[in-house]
Amino acid sequence: MLDDKRTLLLDMDGTLLDLAFDNHFWTEQVPAALAAARGEHLNDVKQELVAAIRASEGTLAWYCLEHWSRELNFDLVAFKETVANRIRFLDGARDFLARARAAGFNLVLVTNAHPETLRIKDQQTNVTQLVDDVVCSHRVGLPKEDERFWPGLLDRVGEAPERLLMVDDSAPVLATASRFVPVTAIAKPDSRRPTRDMSPYPSVERIVDLLAE
């Protein structure tokens, strides 16, 4: 998959960092904290949160801590900082970054994560120090799912599309990205959940597996 590639466009959550943190944060920790703060039943809060999140899926708001802090009347940035010690690299991901860099690949982190999420996760992992460039969709003003995001990214990278590879765990992102660049999916973004079928996209279970191709 890396034959003739020069630049790797790398998602963060679920590609380099374990999505187990985010899944647990949004499905368990946030609802529990909200229920305690409001004095409401946990299941009621979970249902409300799931409905709200689904309604904004695929937009920048879906990823935006400031948006959800306002919507929920709860400081999610401060709360995320209290549980940040759970943030981890996926198995083999740190090694992959070191080996890919040593092999001469240009590594670009391309993330939909909110800047505060990126800051908190970088404090725990130093992930931005292990790549050559960082593109945050919030600063672009468009999520990766939006096809308008990609021409600007290609201009910034300055590489022929066939020399690029986008690696991501999100099917909607892969669907859009594949119109512009070759893509590969991560089939096991959450270390606590089963491997997924990512058809029709080529996939590896872990990003480090790309180096074994």
Side-chain angles (χ1 to χ4, degrees):
M1 291 181 187
L2 297 184
D3 291 346
D4 300 322
K5 304 305 180 191
R6 173 69 182 88
T7 295
L8 306 181
L9 308 173
L10 306 173
D11 174 49
M12 183 172 71
D13 300 317
T15 296
L16 298 176
L17 303 187
D18 195 340
L19 202 61
F21 170 82
D22 303 89
N23 286 333
H24 187 64
F25 180 78
W26 286 106
T27 63
E28 301 297 335
Q29 292 176 308
V30 170
L34 284 174
R38 297 174 178 178
E40 298 178 3
H41 195 279
L42 178 59
N43 285 339
D44 292 339
V45 174
K46 282 187 174 182
Q47 290 177 11
E48 173 195 338
L49 188 57
V50 166
I53 288 173
R54 284 179 177 169
S56 62
E57 196 167 0
T59 70
L60 275 184
W62 196 81
Y63 302 94
C64 183
L65 286 183
E66 292 174 350
H67 167 80
W68 292 114
S69 293
R70 291 192 300 270
E71 288 291 305
L72 303 173
N73 193 27
F74 187 78
D75 189 344
L76 284 169
V77 174
F79 182 62
K80 181 167 278 193
E81 288 178 325
T82 69
V83 296
N85 63 317
R86 294 174 176 265
I87 296 166
R88 298 283 187 275
F89 275 99
L90 280 163
D91 183 37
R94 189 193 292 271
D95 180 55
F96 169 83
L97 293 174
R99 290 168 61 190
R101 219 176 192 182
F105 289 101
N106 180 39
L107 306 180
V108 183
L109 186 67
V110 185
T111 180
N112 276 335
H114 183 268
E116 284 298 298
T117 294
L118 179 59
R119 176 185 64 80
I120 292 167
K121 292 191 173 184
D122 195 39
Q123 286 178 341
Q124 294 295 317
T125 64
N126 289 321
V127 64
T128 65
Q129 304 305 307
L130 304 176
V131 298
D132 301 294
D133 194 11
V134 178
V135 178
C136 180
S137 66
H138 282 264
R139 297 193 173 103
V140 176
L142 296 164
K144 292 185 289 184
E145 293 90 330
D146 192 317
E147 63 181 14
R148 295 173 295 173
F149 172 88
W150 291 90
L153 176 63
L154 294 179
D155 285 345
R156 176 168 177 158
V157 172
E159 193 83 62
E162 62 271 16
R163 299 293 298 272
L164 307 177
L165 181 67
M166 178 68 197
V167 188
D168 207 295
D169 67 295
S170 165
V173 170
L174 292 164
T176 303
S178 63
R179 302 173 199 165
F180 298 90
V181 297
V183 302
T184 292
I186 297 296
K188 193 173 174 63
D190 182 329
S191 63
R192 298 182 179 181
R193 297 186 180 183
T195 301
R196 308 170 303 163
D197 179 4
M198 296 303 293
S199 301
Y201 309 106
S203 67
V204 291
E205 185 168 285
R206 308 170 304 155
I207 194 168
V208 71
D209 297 333
L210 284 173
L211 297 177
E213 292 290 320

